[in-house]
């Protein structure tokens, strides 16, 4: 079943008078199905973050439309948009983006608190997720008091706590060493499987991409290629490397 | 690039931070210059009768202001440098030596400081005439001279020198802060909180205890106790304030967090945790502000109350527009003086009669009155004379009616301790006044001590009793052994008494040295107004300096914080904080910073005013509940103070929203 439909998206930076125009995205079209784990790859500056921001309604496309569950995001008013962001979308950022002023627990419940959920709902959801993600013991610590992996899991927890329809992750492994990176990918895959959460992940890393069921390759703001997961993991990985070497962009 | 160019560029870039700092500094320079110029101004100097008092007050408060300005400059400079840690570390990363970095920072502060000096002094010169006029208008009853515009070079360099000294100190303290920076800290970033605090029950308890004790003693009705313990009271309140902000407030925030239904609401969660995160780094500032605003509001409120009550105070001291007792010839001279000045007047002459009943009034171990004591005697009035003479007074007294055998005792609050006063009244009523043929009892009291005219005690008798006592020789004229030839007192009532300086001066000239005793309301009024007007004037400037300093310090710290918190707001927006919620978060984040010190400062001041009322005002203000009058007048000051703080709050909020937005 189609969850998100992206139709003819264009993004031009510098639309204000006098600014130099730059087209970051050109005619992007694709669909995301419910429960999918999709990767987006491409060289630096190709427009991945731009695309993700548009999908997450943080940014608006210059033209084109994004449908989530059949609703055109562009038609939403400012207030509805904020609500939509909280209810439907979970974000995981590269630098975690946890607030240093809050404990992990407070960070995690933040979206629900903003949404105005009652204490009971908040507590029960928090307990379940924190147990599943194994950060129950560090909930009362501050971000700078815990490891990078724990921070990343807390960030994932925050993305999931509202039970979003889709999780958007921008280079979530970028700041982690390979072991923590792998752990996080396992986690995302597990979340994808157990909660049937739809995940869209931007990555530079071919290994990380190999966790995805489908990979979109972007070059110069256009979708250049699409790859589907194969039975054989090594073969899939090699195929990704092949495309990357053509598209460009570093692999670790 | 030359260092000066870099400094100029930095100032331009940090304009919004420098602008408040500049403004406050300029106003401080302006105040110091104005005070100095007033001291140098010959006309102003001559206008004051109590010149020494005037000069020492101006100098004293000038020094106080200067001390606080120094404190403000150094502390804001330090926090400014801290906030620019990243930038400074970058300079050193690119190979600038610490010396050179401090030189750059010093240059920046120096440029801003010099600009403030120039603008402040220019403003001081420009407004010097106005300031002098305001001062004379406020303090003098009928100043008629003219003040010419003048520049005082001495004041200019007396202003510049100490400020340059302070700038030097700032440079040194900046150097100290910078040399403590480690390059590593740059890479650690601002992640680690410097200001988080869990608070402490002990500190909270201690601070409440100290404040409670301070308040309790400040509010006692015993003026003697207050004066005795004024220093311990001050110390305990100030210490309590600091402890509250250091340990108590964080604990309260900690409690707030426990109430999940409230705490788990988006804006509360964000604002409280952010405030909690910073509370330690701003605690000392908030405590200092609370104390300073208490000092400032109390100073102004006291001055204002005294000033507003100068007229009432004058009449509670003098009672009449003028009175004297002395030789009879003087009376004609005084009449002549009124006529010469063309002033309409009425006068009344009464005998100063004396009674010495056999009487002992004791209160516990205090012998209040003893007829064996030569100094203890009564000034006596028959009811009819009393009812007549009070019509010449400016005091609002009602005619009395006294039954035979009874008397009214003139008692103004003596001890100022209501319970003690009540005991005293009871003791007086319980003591029979034994005269040779009859006994009289006091049945009521009236606030008319101003009728004593040289005595300490005053009673008013029934007319018939008076006549019989007089005949029996119990009431005699006030001639003492060495006494004056003229035992009568003459009181005067004339038009516009507190504005008619000419006639008051003439009367004073005639009577001084010649009359046995005299008082002219005008003279008392002039003295009160001069002193209290000056207190008001100085208090006003001091308060403005304090408000500007404290408020701009807060502004400064919040805008610095905004820079660090910008990332958080970006993130919060990403996860769905809408602009409405953002506004609420910013409000809740900033309001307590301004509101808590203000409220605590005002509470301090309310108690300080209570003490001031007990010690000073209640002797002056003859109304029943002098504290309410005092509070009414002070609340005008509190309102102004709150208003100014409100304006600063909105400016800060605007700037904060701009930075994080
Ligand atoms: N706000 C902006 N204004 C103008 N141009 C922008 C803006 N944001 C991004 N761009 C440009 O758009 C292009 C795409 O940027 P984007 O951040 O989407 O790249 P990316 O694929 O995420 O790169 P990376 O892998 O380095 O994160 C870049 O060339 C960038 O310079
Ligand atoms: Mg990117």
């Amino acid at each position: 079943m189609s969850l998100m439909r992206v139709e003819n998206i264009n993004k031009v930076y510098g639309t204000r008078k006098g600014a130099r125009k730059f087209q970051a995205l050109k005619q992007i079209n694709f669909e995301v199905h419910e429960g999918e784990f999709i990767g987006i790859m491409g060289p630096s500056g190709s427009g991945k973050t731009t695309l993700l921001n548009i999908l997450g309604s943080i940014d608006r496309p210059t033209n084109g439309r994004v449908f989530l569950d059949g609703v055109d995001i562009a038609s939403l008013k400012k207030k509805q948009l904020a609500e939509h962001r909280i209810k439907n979308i979970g974000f995981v950022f590269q630098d975690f983006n946890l607030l240093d002023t809050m404990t992990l627990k407070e960070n995690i419940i933040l979206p629900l608190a903003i949404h105005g959920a009652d204490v009971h709902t908040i507590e029960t959801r928090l307990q379940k997720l924190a147990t599943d993600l194994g950060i129950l013991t560090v909930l009362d610590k501050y971000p700078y008091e815990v490891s990078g992996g724990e921070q990343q899991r807390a960030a994932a927890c925050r993305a999931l706590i509202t039970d979003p329809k889709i999780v958007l992750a921008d280079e979530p492994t970028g700041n982690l060493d390979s072991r923590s990176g792998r752990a996080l990918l396992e986690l995302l895959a597990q979340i994808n499987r157990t909660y049937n959460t739809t995940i869209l992940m931007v990555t530079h890393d071919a290994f990380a991409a190999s966790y995805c069921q489908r990979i979109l390759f972007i070059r110069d703001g256009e979708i250049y290629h699409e790859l589907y997961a194969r039975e054989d993991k090594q073969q899939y990985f090699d195929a990704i490397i092949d495309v990357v070497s053509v598209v460009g962009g570093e692999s670790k | 690039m030359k260092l000066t160019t870099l400094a100029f560029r930095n100032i331009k870039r940090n304009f919004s931070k420098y602008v408040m700092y500049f403004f406050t500094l300029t106003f401080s320079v302006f105040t110091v210059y104005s005070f100095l110029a007033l001291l140098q101004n010959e006309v102003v100097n001559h206008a004051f009768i109590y010149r020494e008092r005037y000069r020492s007050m101006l100098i004293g408060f000038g020094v106080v202001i200067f001390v606080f300005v120094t404190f403000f400059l150094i502390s804001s400079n330090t926090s400014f440098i801290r906030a620019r840690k990243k930038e400074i570390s970058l300079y050193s990363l690119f190979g600038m030596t610490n010396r050179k970095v401090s030189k750059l920072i010093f240059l920046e502060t120096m440029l801003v400081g010099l600009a403030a000096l120039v603008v402040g002094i220019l403003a001081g010169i420009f407004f010097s005439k106005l300031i002098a006029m305001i001062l004379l208008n406020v303090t003098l009853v009928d100043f008629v001279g003219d003040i010419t515009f003048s520049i005082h070079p001495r004041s200019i360099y007396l202003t510049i020198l100490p400020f340059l000294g302070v700038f030097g100190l700032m440079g040194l303290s900046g150097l100290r802060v910078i040399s403590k920076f480690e390059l590593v800290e740059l890479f650690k970033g601002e992640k680690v909180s410097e200001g988080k605090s869990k608070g402490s029950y002990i500190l909270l308890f201690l601070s409440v205890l100290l404040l409670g004790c301070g308040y309790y003693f400040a509010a006692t009705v015993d003026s003697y106790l207050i004066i005795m313990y004024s220093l311990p009271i001050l110390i305990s309140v100030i210490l309590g304030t600091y402890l509250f902000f250091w340990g108590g407030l964080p604990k309260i925030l900690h409690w707030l967090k426990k109430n999940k239904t409230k705490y788990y609401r988006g804006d509360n969660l964000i604002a409280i945790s952010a405030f909690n995160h910073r509370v330690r780094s701003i605690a000392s500032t908030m405590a200092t502000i609370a104390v300073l605003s208490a000092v400032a509001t109390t100073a102004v409120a006291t001055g204002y109350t005294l000033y507003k009550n100068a007229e009432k105070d004058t009449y509670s001291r003098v009672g009449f527009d003028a009175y004297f007792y002395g030789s009879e010839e003087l009376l004609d001279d005084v009449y002549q003086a009124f006529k010469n000045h063309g002033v309409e007047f009425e006068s009344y002459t009464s005998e100063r009669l004396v009674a010495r009943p056999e009487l002992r009034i004791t209160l516990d171990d205090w012998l209040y009155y003893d007829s064996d004591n030569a100094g203890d005697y009564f000034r006596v009035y028959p009811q009819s004379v009393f009812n007549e003479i009070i019509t010449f007074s400016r005091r609002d007294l009602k005619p009395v009616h006294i039954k035979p055998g009874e008397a009214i005792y003139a008692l103004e609050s003596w001890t100022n301790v209501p319970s003690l006063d009540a005991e005293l009244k009871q003791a007086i009523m319980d003591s029979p006044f034994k005269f040779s043929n009859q006994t009289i009892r006091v049945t009521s009291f009236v606030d008319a001590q101003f009728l004593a005219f040289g005595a300490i005690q005053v009673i008013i008798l029934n007319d018939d009793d008076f006549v019989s006592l007089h005949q029996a020789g119990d009431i005699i004229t006030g001639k003492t052994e060495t006494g004056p030839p003229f035992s009568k007192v003459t009181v005067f009532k004339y038009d516009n008494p507190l504005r008619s300086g000419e006639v008051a001066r003439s009367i004073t000239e005639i009577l001084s040295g010649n009359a046995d005793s005299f008082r002219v309301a005008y003279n008392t009024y002039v003295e009160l107004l001069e002193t209290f007007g000056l207190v008001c004037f100085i208090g006003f400037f001091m308060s403005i300096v304090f408000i500007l300093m404290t408020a701009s310090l807060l502004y400064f710290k919040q805008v610095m914080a905004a820079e660090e918190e910008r990332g958080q707001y970006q993130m919060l927006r990403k996860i769905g904080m809408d602009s409405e919620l953002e506004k609420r978060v910013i409000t809740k984040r900033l309001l307590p910073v301004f509101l808590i010190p203000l409220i605590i400062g005002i509470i301090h001041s309310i108690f300080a005013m209570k003490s001031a009322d007990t010690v000073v005002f209640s002797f002056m203000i003859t109304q029943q509940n002098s504290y309410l009058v005092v509070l009414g007048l002070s609340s005008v000051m509190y309102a102004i103070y709150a208003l100014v703080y409100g304006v600063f709050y909105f400016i800060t909020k605007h700037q904060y929203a701009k930075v994080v937005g």
Side-chain angles (χ1 to χ4, degrees):
Chain A
M1 198 190 121
S2 163
L3 177 71
M4 182 183 262
R5 206 165 76 242
V6 179
E7 281 184 2
N8 300 324
I9 291 241
N10 285 288
K11 177 72 188 178
V12 181
Y13 282 120
T15 43
R16 244 177 284 152
K17 250 210 306 227
R20 248 190 45 205
K21 282 198 168 56
F22 178 81
Q23 180 143 23
L25 293 176
K26 294 167 202 155
Q27 291 294 332
I28 303 280
N29 279 295
F30 66 95
E31 257 183 68
V32 181
H33 297 288
E34 208 174 312
E36 251 189 322
F37 187 177
I38 298 186
I40 297 175
M41 293 193 79
S44 188
S46 56
K48 305 182 295 292
T49 300
T50 308
L51 176 63
L52 211 67
N53 284 348
I54 289 173
L55 298 186
S57 75
I58 291 171
D59 203 353
R60 281 175 189 275
T62 311
N63 50 50
R65 294 202 281 185
V66 177
F67 293 93
L68 188 79
D69 261 352
V71 179
D72 183 1
I73 295 176
S75 72
L76 297 178
K77 296 206 182 64
K78 237 182 161 181
K79 196 157 169 92
Q80 294 169 308
L81 209 60
E83 174 121 4
H84 151 81
R85 227 176 282 157
I86 291 178
K87 256 176 59 187
N88 300 331
I89 298 171
F91 289 98
V92 184
F93 304 97
Q94 177 174 358
D95 48 359
F96 321 141
N97 257 325
L98 295 171
L99 297 188
D100 290 317
T101 60
M102 295 182 181
T103 59
L104 292 191
K105 175 178 172 177
E106 288 162 355
N107 264 293
I108 293 168
I109 65 170
L110 192 57
L112 281 184
I114 291 177
H115 190 53
D118 62 277
V119 177
H120 181 72
T121 322
I122 292 179
E123 291 284 1
T124 44
R125 285 218 202 156
L126 173 77
Q127 285 304 319
K128 184 169 175 352
L129 272 177
T131 315
D132 287 355
L133 300 195
I135 48 170
L136 210 51
T137 52
V138 289
L139 276 183
D140 283 325
K141 292 193 172 175
Y142 283 85
Y144 47 84
E145 293 170 339
V146 302
S147 75
E150 283 162 335
Q151 287 184 47
Q152 191 57 289
R153 268 177 279 163
C157 219
R158 185 181 65 192
L160 292 171
I161 195 141
T162 53
D163 202 3
K165 290 185 178 142
I166 188 164
V167 171
L168 302 175
D170 194 353
E171 298 189 47
T173 57
N175 266 343
L176 299 176
D177 64 36
S178 59
R179 207 168 60 88
S180 317
R182 187 181 302 212
L184 180 76
L185 289 165
E186 295 285 357
L187 183 70
L188 286 178
Q190 182 203 333
I191 288 167
N192 174 246
R193 278 196 306 274
T194 47
Y195 303 116
N196 198 30
T197 310
T198 315
I199 300 177
L200 223 125
M201 176 176 76
V202 166
T203 183
H204 272 119
D205 181 13
F207 176 73
S210 68
Y211 278 81
C212 303
Q213 293 151 11
R214 179 156 65 113
I215 302 169
L216 299 173
F217 290 89
I218 298 187
R219 189 169 73 173
D220 297 335
E222 287 178 293
I223 295 189
Y224 169 83
H225 194 76
E226 210 173 333
L227 256 186
Y228 284 87
R230 320 252 169 103
E231 281 300 317
D232 180 12
K233 217 155 184 215
Q234 187 57 43
Q235 212 187 0
Y236 184 37
F237 185 72
D238 291 340
I240 298 171
I241 296 287
D242 278 347
V243 183
V244 167
S245 63
V246 178
V247 175
E250 61 277 48
S251 73
K252 284 179 198 165
Chain B
M1 199 184 324
K2 265 173 57 190
L3 223 48
T4 23
T5 331
L6 195 59
F8 266 119
R9 193 183 290 181
N10 280 342
I11 292 171
K12 230 164 104 185
R13 199 162 42 85
N14 289 312
F15 186 73
S16 72
K17 276 168 238 154
Y18 270 123
V19 68
M20 275 289 174
Y21 179 70
F22 175 76
F23 190 58
T24 308
L25 192 50
T26 305
F27 194 84
S28 314
V29 172
F30 171 74
T31 305
V32 170
Y33 174 83
S34 296
F35 280 20
L36 284 169
L38 284 177
L39 283 172
Q40 308 276 316
N41 193 318
E42 281 306 308
V43 184
V44 177
N45 262 309
H46 277 290
F48 278 87
I49 300 167
Y50 304 89
R51 216 155 293 145
E52 277 316 304
R53 198 187 289 175
Y54 155 77
R55 293 183 64 88
S56 54
M57 268 172 91
L58 266 188
I59 293 173
F61 281 94
V63 170
V64 169
I65 286 177
F66 201 78
V67 168
F68 279 105
V69 167
T70 309
F71 157 80
F72 159 76
L73 287 181
I74 291 180
S75 78
S76 57
N77 192 44
T78 309
S79 73
F80 194 30
I81 291 176
R82 287 237 172 79
R84 295 174 60 186
K85 199 162 155 181
K86 215 169 193 164
E87 178 190 337
I88 290 167
S89 311
L90 268 176
Y91 287 140
S92 31
L93 189 64
F94 297 148
M96 243 194 214
T97 57
N98 266 358
R99 273 188 62 106
K100 206 159 179 202
V101 174
S102 348
K103 224 165 141 188
L104 175 69
I105 303 288
F106 181 67
L107 211 62
E108 280 180 45
T109 33
M110 214 49 180
L111 284 173
V112 176
L114 285 180
L117 263 180
V118 172
V119 176
I121 289 176
L122 283 182
I125 292 171
F126 186 76
F127 289 114
S128 60
K129 189 176 167 185
L130 182 72
I131 296 282
M133 292 299 281
I134 291 174
L135 173 67
L136 295 182
N137 233 317
V138 169
T139 51
L140 301 185
V141 177
D142 53 357
F143 179 73
V144 280
D146 190 32
I147 295 177
T148 47
F149 181 83
S150 54
I151 297 173
H152 306 279
R154 232 172 90 89
S155 322
I156 295 180
Y157 76 72
L158 277 180
T159 311
I160 291 179
L161 279 181
F163 271 103
L164 284 183
V166 174
F167 294 155
L169 271 180
M170 269 163 69
L172 286 181
S173 81
L175 184 67
R176 219 180 51 116
V177 176
I178 291 170
S179 60
K180 275 206 213 136
F181 283 173
E182 305 266 348
L183 257 187
V184 199
E185 287 181 56
L186 167 66
F187 303 108
K188 262 196 250 156
E190 289 138 358
K191 296 256 181 204
V192 180
S193 161
E194 287 171 5
K196 192 171 42 101
S197 167
K198 275 218 170 84
S200 120
Y201 278 111
I202 299 171
L203 287 187
L204 179 63
F205 175 74
L206 218 60
S207 68
V208 170
L209 191 74
L210 282 171
L211 287 177
C213 280
Y215 285 167
Y216 177 78
F217 282 107
T220 50
V221 284
D222 189 340
S223 57
Y224 177 71
L225 265 184
I226 292 177
I227 295 167
M228 266 281 285
Y229 293 115
S230 57
L231 199 63
I233 291 175
L234 261 181
I235 291 174
S236 96
V237 169
I238 292 176
L239 196 66
T241 311
Y242 276 91
L243 291 185
F244 173 75
F245 280 102
W246 284 336
L249 186 62
K251 194 81 230 168
I252 290 175
L253 286 178
H254 199 69
W255 277 338
L256 283 181
K257 286 183 167 191
K258 290 224 172 99
N259 182 353
K260 289 186 178 167
T261 2
K262 287 254 170 64
Y263 186 50
Y264 282 5
R265 272 185 39 207
D267 45 349
N268 290 343
L269 180 64
I270 301 166
I272 293 177
S273 66
F275 185 56
N276 192 39
H277 187 72
R278 298 231 165 250
V279 70
R280 220 175 62 199
S281 63
I282 203 175
S284 303
T285 311
M286 289 205 289
T288 309
I289 287 167
V291 171
L292 283 191
S293 32
V295 172
T297 44
T298 308
V300 181
T302 308
Y304 189 62
T305 309
L306 291 170
Y307 186 69
K308 275 282 159 193
N309 276 292
E311 191 170 330
K312 262 194 195 144
D313 191 18
T314 301
Y315 286 113
S316 80
R317 288 173 192 217
V318 184
F320 300 95
D321 292 343
Y323 72 79
F324 84 99
Y325 44 94
S327 73
E328 199 153 8
E329 298 84 64
L330 287 172
L331 193 54
D332 294 328
D333 293 345
V334 174
Y335 285 159
Q336 197 53 49
F338 275 117
K339 287 196 188 97
N340 289 347
H341 288 285
V343 175
E344 293 277 328
F345 74 100
E346 298 168 81
S347 71
Y348 180 81
T349 302
S350 160
E351 296 259 15
R352 292 163 67 222
L353 295 171
V354 164
R356 292 175 171 278
E358 201 189 316
L359 174 68
R360 272 172 80 89
I361 301 172
T362 50
L363 199 64
D364 297 332
D365 52 352
W366 175 27
L367 185 55
Y368 176 72
Y369 184 98
D370 183 7
S371 44
D372 292 341
N373 193 334
D376 283 350
Y377 61 92
F378 284 89
R379 181 75 62 227
V380 192
Y381 294 94
Q383 172 190 318
S384 53
V385 171
F386 175 83
N387 289 345
E388 179 84 24
I389 200 167
I390 59 170
T391 60
F392 293 83
S393 167
R394 298 276 175 184
R395 290 277 293 266
D396 194 19
L397 288 174
K398 305 243 164 356
V400 294
H401 181 79
I402 302 168
K403 291 198 194 89
E406 294 184 354
I408 294 180
Y409 191 102
L411 173 103
E412 264 157 274
S413 35
W414 287 81
T415 59
N416 212 35
V417 182
S419 60
L420 208 56
D421 276 346
E423 273 180 59
L424 184 57
K425 282 182 180 175
Q426 195 54 52
I428 293 170
M429 287 196 283
D430 289 345
S431 315
F433 287 46
K434 289 194 197 106
F435 293 93
S436 40
N437 297 327
Q438 67 187 110
T439 302
I440 285 179
R441 279 187 175 275
V442 170
T443 51
S444 65
F445 297 85
V446 64
D447 290 341
Q449 255 241 308
F450 63 98
L451 292 174
F453 298 124
I456 298 171
Q457 325 282 357
V458 182
I459 48 168
I460 304 136
L461 303 172
N462 169 279
D463 280 356
D464 295 336
D465 285 342
F466 179 85
V467 171
S468 62
L469 283 174
H470 198 92
Q471 279 165 356
D474 282 326
I475 293 174
I476 51 171
T477 50
K479 273 184 220 160
T480 47
E481 291 77 54
T482 60
F486 185 58
S487 70
K488 290 175 180 168
V489 59
T490 308
V491 301
F492 299 91
K493 183 178 189 178
Y494 58 96
D495 287 345
N496 216 0
L498 299 184
R499 301 283 176 275
S500 313
E502 299 282 306
V503 69
R505 273 185 284 275
S506 296
I507 299 172
T508 308
E509 205 173 306
I510 294 165
L511 295 176
S512 58
N514 298 323
D516 202 29
S517 175
F518 78 97
R519 289 192 91 166
V520 181
Y522 175 85
N523 295 343
T524 307
Y525 183 64
V526 165
E527 181 184 351
L528 291 179
L529 216 58
E530 196 172 301
T531 312
F532 301 154
L534 198 59
V535 172
C536 244
F537 178 82
I538 293 174
F540 178 73
F541 273 93
M542 203 172 76
S543 299
I544 293 188
V545 172
F546 279 8
I547 293 181
L548 281 178
M549 265 172 14
T550 52
S552 66
L553 209 58
L554 279 185
Y555 168 86
F556 217 53
K557 292 218 168 201
Q558 298 321 297
V559 174
M560 305 282 172
E563 221 118 284
E564 287 175 30
E565 285 162 18
R566 179 162 43 199
Q568 304 178 5
Y569 282 87
Q570 276 163 4
M571 194 232 91
L572 286 167
R573 266 175 237 128
K574 277 188 190 168
I575 65 168
M577 175 174 69
D578 56 25
S579 55
E580 213 171 283
L581 182 67
E582 185 171 337
K583 266 190 211 132
R584 256 184 297 148
V585 167
I586 293 178
T587 302
K588 286 196 177 166
R589 162 81 180 74
L590 293 181
L591 198 58
V593 176
F594 283 82
L595 205 58
I596 298 174
L598 181 74
I599 289 177
I600 291 187
I602 287 180
I603 296 176
H604 282 0
S605 177
I606 287 174
F607 279 94
M609 292 310 285
K610 175 75 196 162
S611 294
D613 173 61
T614 312
V615 178
V616 187
F617 300 137
S618 57
F619 291 106
M620 276 173 39
I621 302 171
T622 42
Q623 253 142 304
Q624 263 305 306
N625 209 335
S626 59
Y627 185 50
L628 285 184
V629 180
V630 173
L631 266 192
L633 290 174
S634 323
S635 56
V636 176
M637 290 301 135
Y638 301 152
I640 294 174
Y641 212 82
L643 197 78
V644 176
Y645 251 72
V647 170
F648 269 91
Y649 162 70
F650 280 108
I651 295 175
T652 307
K653 196 167 134 182
H654 177 79
Q655 188 61 27
Y656 184 94
K658 219 167 95 184
V659 172
V660 300

